[in-house]
Amino acid sequence: ETGVTQSPTHLIKTRGQQVTLRCSSQSGHNTVSWYQQALGQGPQFIFQYYREEENGRGNFPPRFSGLQFPNYSSELNVNALELDDSALYLCASSAVVNTEAFFGQGTRLTVV
Amino acid sequence: GENVEQHPSTLSVQEGDSAVIKCTYSDSASNYFPWYKQELGKGPQLIIDIRSNVGEKKDQRIAVTLNKTAKHFSLHITETQPEDSAVYFCAASRGDYKLSFGAGTTVTVRA
């Protein structure tokens, strides 16, 4: 059974650019959630996808968007990057029956 | 929305001693409370969780207690070892697994 994998591991972008981060969920998991973790803080919930539909969103602007694919992998897209978007972006997957959330190693995004 | 407060922010213990981290939550509808350990450069790792129908849960050296009336829960690590050094996060959710996290506790175990 493979765990949650994210790509890329590190990324540097310029303010105003767009970025796409990718997540492969753990085998058998159909729910993916994305979190933003600023340095020295706890993760903040961005949104959750269940069976390819958005299933709840945290306090993030519309320039944060996502997708979930039929194989339950997911993308996080951020448009018009701002310096404050610099953070570790974490993906977590969970299953309907076994409901614990398991995190990937994260993507470290730096906006300059 | 849910607000989770975590204390202390840093904790230094002698190897072999116990460590206790406390969290409070605001949403009385929260019913799932996991604890995560995060090592440098890695994602959070689930170490133990508790649901609102249980008051205490133990797994080897780790235990979690929940007081629903007071809306607080705690992590207890006994016989601490150097490999327990990490940042620990508590979280709460309504069971939809949209987790609200505390700010974290940096635990240092001194040899």
Short mmCIF file of all heavy atoms in Angstrom, two decimals, chain A residues 9-50:
data_model
loop_
_atom_site.label_atom_id
_atom_site.label_comp_id
_atom_site.label_asym_id
_atom_site.label_seq_id
_atom_site.Cartn_x
_atom_site.Cartn_y
_atom_site.Cartn_z
N THR A 9 8.56 18.66 -4.67
CA THR A 9 8.85 18.83 -3.25
C THR A 9 9.18 20.29 -2.93
O THR A 9 8.88 20.77 -1.84
CB THR A 9 10.02 17.94 -2.81
OG1 THR A 9 11.13 18.21 -3.66
CG2 THR A 9 9.64 16.48 -2.91
N HIS A 10 9.80 20.97 -3.88
CA HIS A 10 10.14 22.39 -3.70
C HIS A 10 9.84 23.14 -5.00
O HIS A 10 9.95 22.57 -6.08
CB HIS A 10 11.63 22.58 -3.37
CG HIS A 10 12.04 21.99 -2.07
ND1 HIS A 10 12.38 20.66 -1.93
CD2 HIS A 10 12.15 22.55 -0.83
CE1 HIS A 10 12.70 20.43 -0.67
NE2 HIS A 10 12.57 21.54 0.02
N LEU A 11 9.49 24.41 -4.84
CA LEU A 11 9.12 25.21 -6.00
C LEU A 11 9.35 26.68 -5.68
O LEU A 11 9.00 27.14 -4.59
CB LEU A 11 7.64 24.97 -6.29
CG LEU A 11 7.05 25.27 -7.65
CD1 LEU A 11 7.81 24.58 -8.75
CD2 LEU A 11 5.59 24.82 -7.66
N ILE A 12 9.95 27.40 -6.62
CA ILE A 12 10.10 28.85 -6.47
C ILE A 12 9.37 29.53 -7.61
O ILE A 12 9.58 29.19 -8.79
CB ILE A 12 11.60 29.25 -6.47
CG1 ILE A 12 12.33 28.58 -5.31
CG2 ILE A 12 11.73 30.77 -6.37
CD1 ILE A 12 13.82 28.82 -5.31
N LYS A 13 8.50 30.46 -7.28
CA LYS A 13 7.71 31.20 -8.27
C LYS A 13 7.83 32.69 -8.01
O LYS A 13 8.15 33.13 -6.90
CB LYS A 13 6.24 30.78 -8.19
CG LYS A 13 5.96 29.39 -8.72
CD LYS A 13 6.05 29.35 -10.23
CE LYS A 13 5.56 28.05 -10.79
NZ LYS A 13 5.61 28.04 -12.28
N THR A 14 7.51 33.45 -9.04
CA THR A 14 7.53 34.91 -8.95
C THR A 14 6.13 35.42 -8.66
O THR A 14 5.14 34.84 -9.15
CB THR A 14 8.06 35.52 -10.25
OG1 THR A 14 9.37 34.99 -10.50
CG2 THR A 14 8.14 37.03 -10.16
N ARG A 15 6.07 36.48 -7.88
CA ARG A 15 4.77 37.11 -7.57
C ARG A 15 3.98 37.35 -8.85
O ARG A 15 4.54 37.85 -9.85
CB ARG A 15 5.02 38.43 -6.84
CG ARG A 15 3.78 39.08 -6.27
CD ARG A 15 4.15 40.26 -5.40
NE ARG A 15 5.08 41.17 -6.05
CZ ARG A 15 5.58 42.25 -5.47
NH1 ARG A 15 5.28 42.53 -4.23
NH2 ARG A 15 6.41 43.03 -6.13
N GLY A 16 2.69 37.00 -8.84
CA GLY A 16 1.82 37.17 -9.99
C GLY A 16 1.69 35.94 -10.87
O GLY A 16 0.75 35.83 -11.67
N GLN A 17 2.62 35.01 -10.71
CA GLN A 17 2.55 33.78 -11.51
C GLN A 17 1.48 32.83 -10.96
O GLN A 17 0.84 33.08 -9.92
CB GLN A 17 3.91 33.07 -11.51
CG GLN A 17 4.96 33.72 -12.39
CD GLN A 17 6.21 32.88 -12.50
OE1 GLN A 17 6.73 32.35 -11.50
NE2 GLN A 17 6.74 32.74 -13.72
N GLN A 18 1.31 31.73 -11.68
CA GLN A 18 0.38 30.68 -11.30
C GLN A 18 1.16 29.41 -11.00
O GLN A 18 2.25 29.19 -11.55
CB GLN A 18 -0.62 30.45 -12.45
CG GLN A 18 -1.64 29.36 -12.22
CD GLN A 18 -1.21 28.01 -12.79
OE1 GLN A 18 -0.30 27.92 -13.60
NE2 GLN A 18 -1.85 26.95 -12.31
N VAL A 19 0.62 28.56 -10.11
CA VAL A 19 1.30 27.33 -9.76
C VAL A 19 0.29 26.19 -9.64
O VAL A 19 -0.87 26.40 -9.25
CB VAL A 19 2.09 27.49 -8.44
CG1 VAL A 19 1.16 27.64 -7.23
CG2 VAL A 19 3.04 26.33 -8.23
N THR A 20 0.74 24.99 -9.98
CA THR A 20 -0.08 23.77 -9.82
C THR A 20 0.72 22.76 -9.00
O THR A 20 1.86 22.43 -9.35
CB THR A 20 -0.43 23.15 -11.18
OG1 THR A 20 -1.25 24.08 -11.91
CG2 THR A 20 -1.22 21.86 -10.98
N LEU A 21 0.11 22.30 -7.92
CA LEU A 21 0.71 21.29 -7.06
C LEU A 21 -0.11 20.02 -7.18
O LEU A 21 -1.33 20.06 -7.35
CB LEU A 21 0.72 21.77 -5.60
CG LEU A 21 1.28 23.17 -5.34
CD1 LEU A 21 1.25 23.49 -3.86
CD2 LEU A 21 2.68 23.32 -5.90
N ARG A 22 0.57 18.87 -7.08
CA ARG A 22 -0.09 17.59 -7.32
C ARG A 22 0.00 16.65 -6.13
O ARG A 22 0.97 16.70 -5.36
CB ARG A 22 0.49 16.93 -8.57
CG ARG A 22 0.21 17.73 -9.83
CD ARG A 22 0.81 17.14 -11.08
NE ARG A 22 0.39 17.88 -12.26
CZ ARG A 22 0.95 19.00 -12.70
NH1 ARG A 22 1.99 19.51 -12.05
NH2 ARG A 22 0.50 19.61 -13.77
N CYS A 23 -1.03 15.81 -6.02
CA CYS A 23 -1.11 14.89 -4.89
C CYS A 23 -1.70 13.57 -5.35
O CYS A 23 -2.75 13.55 -6.02
CB CYS A 23 -1.99 15.50 -3.80
SG CYS A 23 -2.41 14.38 -2.44
N SER A 24 -1.05 12.49 -5.00
CA SER A 24 -1.60 11.15 -5.22
C SER A 24 -2.04 10.60 -3.87
O SER A 24 -1.23 10.51 -2.95
CB SER A 24 -0.55 10.23 -5.85
OG SER A 24 -0.24 10.65 -7.15
N SER A 25 -3.31 10.26 -3.79
CA SER A 25 -3.84 9.81 -2.50
C SER A 25 -3.41 8.38 -2.20
O SER A 25 -2.98 7.64 -3.09
CB SER A 25 -5.36 9.91 -2.48
OG SER A 25 -5.92 9.10 -3.50
N GLN A 26 -3.53 8.03 -0.93
CA GLN A 26 -3.21 6.66 -0.52
C GLN A 26 -4.20 5.70 -1.14
O GLN A 26 -5.38 6.03 -1.32
CB GLN A 26 -3.25 6.60 1.01
CG GLN A 26 -2.78 5.27 1.60
CD GLN A 26 -2.49 5.38 3.07
OE1 GLN A 26 -1.91 6.36 3.53
NE2 GLN A 26 -2.89 4.37 3.83
N SER A 27 -3.73 4.50 -1.46
CA SER A 27 -4.56 3.50 -2.09
C SER A 27 -5.84 3.26 -1.27
O SER A 27 -5.79 3.08 -0.05
CB SER A 27 -3.77 2.19 -2.21
OG SER A 27 -4.59 1.16 -2.72
N GLY A 28 -6.99 3.29 -1.97
CA GLY A 28 -8.26 3.04 -1.29
C GLY A 28 -8.90 4.28 -0.70
O GLY A 28 -10.01 4.20 -0.18
N HIS A 29 -8.22 5.43 -0.76
CA HIS A 29 -8.76 6.67 -0.20
C HIS A 29 -9.41 7.51 -1.29
O HIS A 29 -8.81 7.75 -2.34
CB HIS A 29 -7.64 7.48 0.47
CG HIS A 29 -7.15 6.89 1.75
ND1 HIS A 29 -6.25 7.55 2.56
CD2 HIS A 29 -7.45 5.74 2.36
CE1 HIS A 29 -6.02 6.80 3.62
NE2 HIS A 29 -6.72 5.69 3.52
N ASN A 30 -10.65 7.98 -1.04
CA ASN A 30 -11.35 8.74 -2.05
C ASN A 30 -11.56 10.21 -1.68
O ASN A 30 -12.21 10.95 -2.40
CB ASN A 30 -12.71 8.10 -2.37
CG ASN A 30 -13.59 8.00 -1.13
OD1 ASN A 30 -13.31 8.61 -0.09
ND2 ASN A 30 -14.67 7.23 -1.23
N THR A 31 -11.01 10.62 -0.56
CA THR A 31 -11.16 12.00 -0.10
C THR A 31 -9.78 12.63 0.04
O THR A 31 -8.89 12.05 0.65
CB THR A 31 -11.88 12.04 1.26
OG1 THR A 31 -13.16 11.43 1.12
CG2 THR A 31 -12.07 13.47 1.73
N VAL A 32 -9.63 13.81 -0.53
CA VAL A 32 -8.36 14.54 -0.47
C VAL A 32 -8.61 15.93 0.08
O VAL A 32 -9.53 16.62 -0.37
CB VAL A 32 -7.70 14.63 -1.86
CG1 VAL A 32 -6.48 15.54 -1.79
CG2 VAL A 32 -7.30 13.24 -2.36
N SER A 33 -7.80 16.33 1.04
CA SER A 33 -7.87 17.67 1.60
C SER A 33 -6.53 18.36 1.43
O SER A 33 -5.49 17.71 1.49
CB SER A 33 -8.22 17.61 3.10
OG SER A 33 -9.45 16.95 3.31
N TRP A 34 -6.57 19.67 1.23
CA TRP A 34 -5.36 20.46 1.08
C TRP A 34 -5.25 21.43 2.25
O TRP A 34 -6.25 22.02 2.69
CB TRP A 34 -5.39 21.24 -0.23
CG TRP A 34 -5.15 20.40 -1.45
CD1 TRP A 34 -6.09 19.77 -2.23
CD2 TRP A 34 -3.88 20.10 -2.05
NE1 TRP A 34 -5.49 19.10 -3.26
CE2 TRP A 34 -4.13 19.29 -3.19
CE3 TRP A 34 -2.56 20.44 -1.75
CZ2 TRP A 34 -3.11 18.82 -4.01
CZ3 TRP A 34 -1.55 19.97 -2.57
CH2 TRP A 34 -1.83 19.17 -3.69
N TYR A 35 -4.01 21.62 2.70
CA TYR A 35 -3.74 22.53 3.81
C TYR A 35 -2.54 23.40 3.46
O TYR A 35 -1.62 22.97 2.74
CB TYR A 35 -3.41 21.73 5.09
CG TYR A 35 -4.57 20.95 5.66
CD1 TYR A 35 -4.93 19.72 5.13
CD2 TYR A 35 -5.33 21.46 6.71
CE1 TYR A 35 -6.01 19.01 5.63
CE2 TYR A 35 -6.41 20.75 7.23
CZ TYR A 35 -6.73 19.53 6.68
OH TYR A 35 -7.81 18.83 7.19
N GLN A 36 -2.55 24.61 4.02
CA GLN A 36 -1.42 25.51 3.91
C GLN A 36 -0.78 25.66 5.28
O GLN A 36 -1.48 25.93 6.26
CB GLN A 36 -1.88 26.90 3.41
CG GLN A 36 -0.76 27.91 3.27
CD GLN A 36 -1.29 29.34 3.14
OE1 GLN A 36 -1.86 29.88 4.08
NE2 GLN A 36 -1.10 29.93 1.98
N GLN A 37 0.54 25.45 5.34
CA GLN A 37 1.23 25.58 6.63
C GLN A 37 2.32 26.64 6.49
O GLN A 37 3.37 26.40 5.88
CB GLN A 37 1.83 24.25 7.07
CG GLN A 37 2.45 24.32 8.46
CD GLN A 37 2.99 22.98 8.95
OE1 GLN A 37 3.31 22.08 8.16
NE2 GLN A 37 3.09 22.82 10.26
N ALA A 38 2.07 27.80 7.07
CA ALA A 38 3.08 28.85 7.11
C ALA A 38 4.14 28.47 8.14
O ALA A 38 3.89 27.67 9.06
CB ALA A 38 2.45 30.19 7.46
N LEU A 39 5.30 29.05 8.00
CA LEU A 39 6.43 28.71 8.87
C LEU A 39 6.08 28.96 10.34
O LEU A 39 5.59 30.04 10.69
CB LEU A 39 7.64 29.54 8.46
CG LEU A 39 9.01 29.00 8.88
CD1 LEU A 39 9.26 27.63 8.30
CD2 LEU A 39 10.11 29.97 8.47
N GLY A 40 6.25 27.93 11.16
CA GLY A 40 6.01 28.08 12.59
C GLY A 40 4.56 28.03 13.01
O GLY A 40 4.24 28.32 14.17
N GLN A 41 3.68 27.66 12.10
CA GLN A 41 2.26 27.61 12.41
C GLN A 41 1.67 26.24 12.13
O GLN A 41 2.31 25.39 11.50
CB GLN A 41 1.51 28.68 11.59
CG GLN A 41 1.95 30.10 11.90
CD GLN A 41 1.14 31.11 11.10
OE1 GLN A 41 0.03 30.84 10.65
NE2 GLN A 41 1.71 32.29 10.93
N GLY A 42 0.45 26.03 12.59
CA GLY A 42 -0.25 24.81 12.27
C GLY A 42 -0.86 24.88 10.88
O GLY A 42 -1.07 25.96 10.34
N PRO A 43 -1.13 23.73 10.28
CA PRO A 43 -1.76 23.73 8.95
C PRO A 43 -3.15 24.38 8.98
O PRO A 43 -3.88 24.24 9.96
CB PRO A 43 -1.87 22.23 8.63
CG PRO A 43 -0.82 21.57 9.48
CD PRO A 43 -0.78 22.38 10.74
N GLN A 44 -3.48 25.08 7.90
CA GLN A 44 -4.79 25.71 7.73
C GLN A 44 -5.52 25.03 6.59
O GLN A 44 -4.97 24.88 5.49
CB GLN A 44 -4.62 27.20 7.42
CG GLN A 44 -3.93 27.99 8.52
CD GLN A 44 -4.77 28.10 9.79
OE1 GLN A 44 -5.97 28.37 9.72
NE2 GLN A 44 -4.15 27.88 10.93
N PHE A 45 -6.77 24.64 6.83
CA PHE A 45 -7.58 23.92 5.84
C PHE A 45 -7.91 24.83 4.66
O PHE A 45 -8.45 25.93 4.84
CB PHE A 45 -8.86 23.43 6.50
CG PHE A 45 -9.85 22.79 5.58
CD1 PHE A 45 -9.61 21.53 5.06
CD2 PHE A 45 -11.03 23.44 5.24
CE1 PHE A 45 -10.53 20.94 4.21
CE2 PHE A 45 -11.95 22.85 4.40
CZ PHE A 45 -11.71 21.60 3.88
N ILE A 46 -7.59 24.36 3.44
CA ILE A 46 -7.92 25.13 2.23
C ILE A 46 -9.24 24.63 1.65
O ILE A 46 -10.21 25.39 1.54
CB ILE A 46 -6.80 25.01 1.17
CG1 ILE A 46 -5.47 25.49 1.76
CG2 ILE A 46 -7.19 25.81 -0.08
CD1 ILE A 46 -4.28 25.28 0.81
N PHE A 47 -9.28 23.37 1.24
CA PHE A 47 -10.51 22.74 0.77
C PHE A 47 -10.36 21.23 0.74
O PHE A 47 -9.26 20.69 0.92
CB PHE A 47 -10.98 23.26 -0.61
CG PHE A 47 -9.91 23.40 -1.66
CD1 PHE A 47 -9.09 22.35 -2.02
CD2 PHE A 47 -9.72 24.62 -2.28
CE1 PHE A 47 -8.12 22.49 -2.98
CE2 PHE A 47 -8.75 24.79 -3.26
CZ PHE A 47 -7.94 23.73 -3.60
N GLN A 48 -11.49 20.57 0.52
CA GLN A 48 -11.54 19.12 0.49
C GLN A 48 -12.27 18.67 -0.78
O GLN A 48 -13.24 19.31 -1.19
CB GLN A 48 -12.27 18.58 1.71
CG GLN A 48 -12.35 17.05 1.79
CD GLN A 48 -13.16 16.60 3.01
OE1 GLN A 48 -14.37 16.47 2.96
NE2 GLN A 48 -12.46 16.36 4.11
N TYR A 49 -11.82 17.59 -1.36
CA TYR A 49 -12.47 16.99 -2.52
C TYR A 49 -12.90 15.57 -2.20
O TYR A 49 -12.14 14.79 -1.61
CB TYR A 49 -11.56 17.01 -3.75
CG TYR A 49 -11.58 18.33 -4.44
CD1 TYR A 49 -10.79 19.38 -3.99
CD2 TYR A 49 -12.45 18.58 -5.50
CE1 TYR A 49 -10.84 20.62 -4.59
CE2 TYR A 49 -12.51 19.82 -6.11
CZ TYR A 49 -11.70 20.84 -5.64
OH TYR A 49 -11.77 22.07 -6.23
N TYR A 50 -14.13 15.27 -2.59
CA TYR A 50 -14.69 13.93 -2.39
C TYR A 50 -15.37 13.53 -3.68
O TYR A 50 -16.26 14.25 -4.16
CB TYR A 50 -15.68 13.93 -1.23
CG TYR A 50 -16.47 12.65 -1.06
CD1 TYR A 50 -15.83 11.47 -0.69
CD2 TYR A 50 -17.85 12.62 -1.27
CE1 TYR A 50 -16.55 10.29 -0.54
CE2 TYR A 50 -18.57 11.45 -1.12
CZ TYR A 50 -17.93 10.30 -0.75
OH TYR A 50 -18.63 9.13 -0.60
#
